[in-house]
């Protein structure tokens, strides 16, 4: 039987890498409200404004300055500087207090793929961002990217944790290796975000069927909940959210020992409900001009998002 959602997902992930389609979409007269459903805006002020609104509603926030796969040193430095500016603004506004707002960083956006010293450049930039986070009273989570970067990202994570032990990791349940990575990282003080995964990966390294990814997610989540670390449950799937709550209860976890995470613009009413019942609910909030790749992966993750976007293009464009 053909997995229709899987076929749609793979197609969209391929399109997320298409420069030609990117140019068409970015130039199309699509209503700004379409992008604003998923992206806070282009500037630091936009990100701070959206963060304030989310925090006022009882939710927590992790902020992503959009961009990835840079091969330009100046762009990598600009991304680093954007995070430094953002963290200073979060600190001065009080939004970073007690980790209410933190930041998520893709290493490829701060230089990981630069020829020669890319690893060192990305590590140095990440260190500066981590120090700025400490100065503001919050922390950093290293975003996961495609499987070819996993080993390098884990290496950087371990190096950063020597000086910044609260640096968070992101693991993707669709990778065969992830249950083992969960066991390695489920230790005291370790913050781990578990998501399904949002990149096109080969069968040799990743589960291809949605049902297999879900089963892997539950196995990985069980490891994290039974461990001594701090699990961050990144899912919009009602079944997985319910299972996460049950596993937390079985492990006798207090509400402040784990958190749920969802994307900005996805299931906002459910986000509020989770926060209002006393659980920790963190919203992944992207901002910046480089929204195309991010938006296409959000379409791939959830077919309803695709239909929303295409309907908006058809009626507004």
């Amino acid at each position: 039987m053909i997995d229709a959602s899987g076929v749609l997902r793979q197609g969209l992930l391929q399109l997320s890498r298409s420069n030609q389609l990117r140019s068409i979409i970015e130039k199309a007269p699509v209503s700004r409200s379409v992008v604003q459903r998923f992206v806070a805006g282009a500037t630091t002020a936009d990100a701070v404004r959206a963060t304030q609104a989310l925090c006022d509603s009882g939710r927590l926030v992790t902020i992503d300055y959009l961009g990835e796969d840079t091969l330009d040193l100046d762009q990598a430095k600009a991304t680093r500087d954007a995070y430094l500016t953002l963290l200073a603004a979060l600190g001065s506004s009080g939004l970073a207090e007690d980790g209410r707002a933190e930041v998520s960083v893709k290493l490829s956006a701060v230089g990981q793929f630069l020829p020669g010293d890319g690893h060192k450049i990305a590590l140095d930039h990440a260190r500066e961002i981590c120090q700025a986070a400490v100065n503001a009273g919050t922390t950093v989570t290293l975003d996961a990217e495609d499987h070819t970067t996993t080993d390098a990202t884990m290496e950087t994570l371990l190096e950063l944790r020597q000086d910044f032990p609260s640096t968070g990791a992101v693991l993707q349940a669709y990778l065969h290796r992830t249950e083992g990575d969960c066991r390695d990282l489920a230790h005291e003080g370790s913050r781990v975000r578990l998501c399904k995964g949002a990149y096109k990966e080969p069968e040799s390294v990743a589960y291809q069927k949605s049902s297999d990814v879900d089963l892997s997610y539950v196995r990985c989540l069980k490891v994290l909940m039974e461990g001594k670390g701090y699990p961050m449950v990144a899912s919009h799937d009602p079944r997985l959210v319910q299972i996460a709550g049950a596993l937390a209860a079985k492990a006798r976890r207090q509400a402040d020992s784990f958190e749920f995470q969802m994307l900005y613009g996805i299931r906002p009413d459910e986000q509020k409900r989770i926060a209002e019942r006393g659980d920790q609910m963190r919203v992944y909030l992207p901002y910046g001009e480089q929204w195309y790749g991010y938006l296409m992966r959000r379409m791939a993750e959830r077919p309803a998002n695709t239909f929303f976007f295409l309907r908006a293009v058809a009626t507004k464009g």
Side-chain angles (χ1 to χ4, degrees), residues 33-41 50 54 59-62 236 261-272 281-286 294-295 298-299 301-302 304-306 308-309:
S33 64
V34 176
V35 178
Q36 284 183 332
R37 172 168 175 172
F38 303 99
V39 178
L54 290 167
R59 287 170 282 180
L60 308 173
V61 183
T62 185
H236 309 99
Q261 295 192 354
M262 293 186 184
L263 299 169
Y264 184 65
I266 308 283
R267 303 191 73 200
D269 291 340
E270 178 66 5
Q271 294 176 15
K272 294 176 185 177
M281 177 73 246
R282 192 177 299 275
V283 179
Y284 188 98
L285 179 76
Y294 171 84
L295 190 59
R298 300 297 76 78
M299 301 303 103
E301 287 176 343
R302 193 166 180 261
N305 295 343
T306 306
F308 172 87
F309 180 69

Side-chain angles (χ1 to χ4, degrees), residues 5-21:
S5 64
V7 172
L8 174 62
R9 178 175 180 275
Q10 293 299 334
L12 287 166
L13 290 175
Q14 286 181 318
L15 292 175
S16 73
R17 299 284 187 171
S18 170
N19 290 329
Q20 182 179 9
L21 183 61

Side-chain angles (χ1 to χ4, degrees), residues 48 51-52 55 87-101 136-137:
V48 171
T51 298
Q52 183 70 66
C55 289
L87 285 161
L90 293 175
S92 62
S93 67
L95 289 170
E97 185 178 350
D98 298 324
R100 287 195 301 162

Side-chain angles (χ1 to χ4, degrees), residues 21-38:
L21 183 61
R22 173 177 181 164
S23 178
I24 293 171
I25 294 292
E26 289 185 340
K27 293 177 182 177
V30 180
S31 169
R32 183 60 183 165
S33 64
V34 176
V35 178
Q36 284 183 332
R37 172 168 175 172
F38 303 99

Side-chain angles (χ1 to χ4, degrees), residues 44 63-67 77-90 102-106 109-110 129 132-133 140-141 143 284 287:
T44 298
I63 308 171
D64 172 26
Y65 179 70
L66 293 170
K77 290 179 178 179
T79 297
R80 173 205 59 192
D81 292 346
Y83 275 108
L84 300 183
T85 299
L86 171 65
L87 285 161
L90 293 175
E102 60 142 44
V103 298
S104 289
V105 177
K106 286 182 173 63
V110 293
I129 295 169
V140 174
T141 296
D143 269 332
Y284 188 98
Y287 80 104

Side-chain angles (χ1 to χ4, degrees), residues 61-276:
V61 183
T62 185
I63 308 171
D64 172 26
Y65 179 70
L66 293 170
E68 58 191 274
D69 297 350
T70 183
L71 296 175
D72 181 85
L73 179 57
D74 287 340
Q75 181 58 49
K77 290 179 178 179
T79 297
R80 173 205 59 192
D81 292 346
Y83 275 108
L84 300 183
T85 299
L86 171 65
L87 285 161
L90 293 175
S92 62
S93 67
L95 289 170
E97 185 178 350
D98 298 324
R100 287 195 301 162
E102 60 142 44
V103 298
S104 289
V105 177
K106 286 182 173 63
L107 290 174
S108 73
V110 293
Q112 187 179 51
F113 292 160
L114 291 172
D117 294 332
H119 174 80
K120 182 179 184 302
I121 291 169
L123 175 61
D124 289 345
H125 287 167
R127 284 188 188 281
E128 291 182 74
I129 295 169
C130 286
Q131 186 59 61
V134 169
N135 295 344
T138 189
T139 189
V140 174
T141 296
L142 294 185
D143 269 332
E145 302 184 65
D146 69 63
H147 82 278
T148 64
T149 69
T150 302
D151 285 334
T153 298
M154 294 288 281
E155 181 182 343
T156 299
L157 173 74
L158 295 178
E159 292 186 69
L160 288 172
R161 281 185 170 182
Q162 293 179 25
D163 297 316
F164 308 101
S166 63
T167 304
V170 178
L171 299 178
Q172 302 177 101
Y174 66 178
L175 296 180
H176 300 319
R177 63 176 286 170
T178 297
E179 187 173 352
D181 289 335
C182 285
R183 296 187 189 283
D184 291 340
L185 291 176
H187 56 78
E188 186 75 32
S190 178
R191 299 168 56 251
V192 180
R193 176 194 301 156
L194 180 66
C195 63
K196 288 187 178 182
Y199 292 83
K200 178 177 172 58
E201 302 286 15
E203 188 174 356
S204 60
V205 301
Y207 299 106
Q208 302 297 303
K209 294 182 179 179
S210 297
S211 57
D212 290 335
V213 176
D214 288 350
L215 290 172
S216 176
Y217 194 101
V218 173
R219 291 194 302 270
C220 293
L221 188 57
K222 188 172 185 290
V223 171
L224 294 175
M225 287 295 185
E226 291 177 351
K228 295 183 179 180
Y230 182 87
M232 299 182 282
V233 184
S235 178
H236 309 99
D237 188 328
R239 298 169 303 160
L240 294 181
V241 170
Q242 184 177 18
I243 288 170
L247 289 174
K250 184 177 180 181
R252 298 184 178 181
R253 281 186 169 271
Q254 299 298 314
D256 62 356
S257 70
F258 72 102
E259 67 185 44
F260 294 95
Q261 295 192 354
M262 293 186 184
L263 299 169
Y264 184 65
I266 308 283
R267 303 191 73 200
D269 291 340
E270 178 66 5
Q271 294 176 15
K272 294 176 185 177
R273 189 185 72 81
I274 290 173
E276 288 169 356

